[in-house]
């Protein structure tokens, strides 16, 4: 079974391995397989599920909602997000304006087949909407009971501090930050994590397996495994490119003895690694097949001894990205239409 951790400075407990459906539901993976993956997650003890209105342009929420039908709502923690353009992509179908936030939550609830989400997240920072306007909209959504808690995703340390302060003034709390984090991508460690610790926020981290790369299945010079994300022409192949370089893939292969020493698969090692950081509340793990979910949950509760953590750092060396400036660099400079 999967361990629970508190999400930020709140009373909400979530499974430290949370299932996410980016690029899979409504896109790479057929609906019956998507449903099997969700059921494999439930069978393994995962009760927390992450999606977003933008995934497969709203289809992913629908697929997840359908797959969760019949489950006891109180036993689930459902997270979704708002920011990226959805629907026909009109001028107000995007961003964190009061109009889009208030409308988007209604669409998400309808597709997910629920009266409320447990966590509603700003998927990015919106440079075109005053932060006060966004936070007031979130405060109202919490008061309406449509979302129980509020979080953010890929915000910088300064944005997190400003958002947390405003939320406090408005009588609610930001409790989570959803950044990319893995052995290969550690840009949150120097600034986002300290700002979050200061403000009572924890991380729920995306792509802990670097989209499958840290499972070790992409071997330099060998053919790409059939059906893998690197072969997914609906979007996955493009997204995973940032890690598909021989120097990265070679170093990843050299992690194999570390995984063996712990009696873990490489995939399990990568998920366990992010969970060693105590500001991380959950690893958000994706899957294209139910067997992957069953394998990945075994990372829950694993402790990696300090000498093996050091060995991982030695093996990966300078292919690890640590530049805190990457969060700001990756942020949309104007609202995306
Ligand atoms: P992962 O790094 O966990 O990658 C998951 C993919 O790796 C799977 O779809 C599968 O792809 C492959 N995989 C999984 N398990 C195994 C295994 N045991 N052996 C081999 N391959 C495996 O995370 P994702 O990139 O999918 O992201 C996870 C979640 O994070 C998303 O669903 C979403 O909820 C969230 N997210 C949030 C973002 C944000 O901006 N806030 C951005 C991106 C993601 P395949 O089999 O096709 O190779």
């Amino acid at each position: 079974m999967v361990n629970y951790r508190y999400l930020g400075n709140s009373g909400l407990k979530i499974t430290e391995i949370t299932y996410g459906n980016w690029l899979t539901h409504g896109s790479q993976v057929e609906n019956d397989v998507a449903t099997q993956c969700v059921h494999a997650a439930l069978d393994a003890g995962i009760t927390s599920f992450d999606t977003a209105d933008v995934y497969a342009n709203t289809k992913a929420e629908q697929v997840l909602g359908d797959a969760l039908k019949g489950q006891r709502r109180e036993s689930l923690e459902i997270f979704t997000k708002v920011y990226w353009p959805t629907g026909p992509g009109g001028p107000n179908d995007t961003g964190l304006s009061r109009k889009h936030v208030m409308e988007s939550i209604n669409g998400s609830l309808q597709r997910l087949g629920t009266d409320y989400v447990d966590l509603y997240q700003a998927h990015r920072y919106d440079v075109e909407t005053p932060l006060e306007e966004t936070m007031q909209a979130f405060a109202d959504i919490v008061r309406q009971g449509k979302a129980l808690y509020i979080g953010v995703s890929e915000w910088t340390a300064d944005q997190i501090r400003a958002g947390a302060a405003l939320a406090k003034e408005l009588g609610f709390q930001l409790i989570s930050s959803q950044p990319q984090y893995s052995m290969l991508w550690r840009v949150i460690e120097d600034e986002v994590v300290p700002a979050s610790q200061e403000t009572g926020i924890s991380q729920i981290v995306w792509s802990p397996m670097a989209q499958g790369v840290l499972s070790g299945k992409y071997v330099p010079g060998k053919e790409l495994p059939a059906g893998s994300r690197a072969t997914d022409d609906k979007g996955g192949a493009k997204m995973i490119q940032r890690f598909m370089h021989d120097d990265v893939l070679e170093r990843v292969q050299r992690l194999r003895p570390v995984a063996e020493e712990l009696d873990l698969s490489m995939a399990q090692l990568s998920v366990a690694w992010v969970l060693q950081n105590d500001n991380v509340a959950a690893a958000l793990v994706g899957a294209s097949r139910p067997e992957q979910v069953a394998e990945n949950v075994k990372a829950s509760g694993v402790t990696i001894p300090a000498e093996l953590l050091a060995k991982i750092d030695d093996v990966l060396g300078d292919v690890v990205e640590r530049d805190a400036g990457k969060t700001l660099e990756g942020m949309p400079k104007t609202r995306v239409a």
Side-chain angles (χ1 to χ4, degrees):
M1 282 292 137
V2 183
N3 295 337
Y4 281 83
R5 294 189 183 190
Y6 284 105
L7 189 53
N9 185 21
S10 83
L12 177 68
K13 286 181 172 185
I14 65 168
T15 43
E16 66 182 12
I17 297 179
T18 289
Y19 176 87
N21 72 355
W22 176 56
L23 297 175
T24 51
H25 293 191
S27 185
Q28 179 196 0
V29 169
E30 296 301 330
N31 290 357
D32 55 341
V33 178
T35 304
Q36 287 167 23
C37 287
V38 169
H39 288 169
L42 291 165
D43 290 347
I46 291 177
T47 58
S48 306
F49 293 86
D50 181 74
T51 186
D53 58 353
V54 70
Y55 294 168
N57 194 7
T58 69
K59 283 195 283 237
E61 285 184 331
Q62 185 80 51
V63 174
L64 181 64
D66 290 347
L68 289 173
K69 249 187 209 133
Q71 301 297 320
R72 180 175 179 267
R73 178 64 185 86
E74 294 83 345
S75 304
L76 301 172
E77 300 81 43
I78 301 177
F79 315 158
T80 195
K81 318 186 193 81
V82 55
Y83 170 80
W84 295 103
T86 50
N92 286 310
D93 292 329
T94 179
L96 298 178
S97 67
R98 178 174 184 82
K99 177 169 171 61
H100 185 55
V101 169
M102 301 305 272
E103 289 170 347
S104 190
I105 185 86
N106 290 336
S108 291
L109 294 179
Q110 199 182 22
R111 289 184 292 271
L112 286 162
T114 180
D115 297 333
Y116 64 93
V117 287
D118 296 276
L119 183 67
Y120 200 43
Q121 303 158 98
H123 209 157
R124 289 294 181 273
Y125 188 87
D126 181 356
V127 292
E128 297 186 25
T129 301
L131 185 58
E132 290 78 0
E133 174 178 336
T134 299
M135 298 314 280
Q136 183 65 61
F138 281 143
D140 292 344
I141 277 175
V142 169
R143 286 207 182 92
Q144 289 171 346
K146 292 179 179 177
L148 305 186
Y149 298 93
I150 300 295
V152 301
S153 173
E154 292 293 349
W155 283 26
T156 64
D158 287 347
Q159 291 163 350
I160 286 174
R161 283 196 189 93
L166 270 172
K168 207 168 173 191
E169 269 177 42
L170 291 162
F172 73 103
Q173 219 189 311
L174 281 188
I175 62 165
S176 67
S177 148
Q178 186 176 136
Q180 180 176 181
Y181 187 51
S182 69
M183 287 182 209
L184 291 171
W185 193 268
R186 307 189 192 178
V187 306
I188 58 170
E189 286 179 351
D190 287 349
E191 295 182 7
V192 166
V193 167
S196 300
Q197 283 166 330
E198 232 174 85
T199 46
I201 285 174
S202 49
Q203 315 300 319
I204 45 182
V205 304
W206 58 269
S207 296
M209 209 178 288
Q211 304 196 39
V213 165
L214 285 164
S215 74
K217 69 182 173 186
Y218 299 111
V219 182
K222 291 231 173 103
E223 234 173 89
L224 300 174
S228 62
R229 185 172 294 182
T231 66
D232 168 27
D233 57 14
K234 288 188 190 142
K238 197 166 148 231
M239 291 296 175
I240 202 174
Q241 274 319 308
R242 71 176 68 151
F243 297 117
M244 297 298 284
H245 305 291
D246 280 358
D247 56 342
V248 176
L249 301 181
E250 273 156 19
R251 299 246 188 180
V252 168
Q253 290 305 315
R254 285 163 45 196
L255 290 174
R256 216 168 273 286
V258 181
E260 278 163 11
E261 207 167 323
L262 287 162
D263 210 13
L264 298 176
S265 69
M266 301 265 285
Q268 289 161 345
L269 175 69
S270 68
V271 177
W273 186 89
V274 300
L275 293 173
Q276 306 306 299
N277 183 326
D278 60 14
N279 188 234
V280 169
L284 283 170
V285 178
S288 66
R289 293 196 309 275
E291 303 78 48
Q292 292 175 340
V293 185
E295 176 182 339
N296 301 341
V297 290
K298 297 198 184 114
S300 179
V302 168
T303 302
I304 307 177
E307 65 272 19
L308 289 185
L309 289 172
K311 200 163 165 188
I312 290 169
D313 292 350
D314 282 350
V315 167
L316 293 177
D318 61 8
V319 300
V320 175
E321 181 59 70
R322 297 172 188 273
D323 176 8
K326 291 282 173 199
T327 304
L328 189 60
E329 205 181 299
M331 211 182 81
K333 305 298 176 281
T334 57
R335 190 194 284 167
V336 180

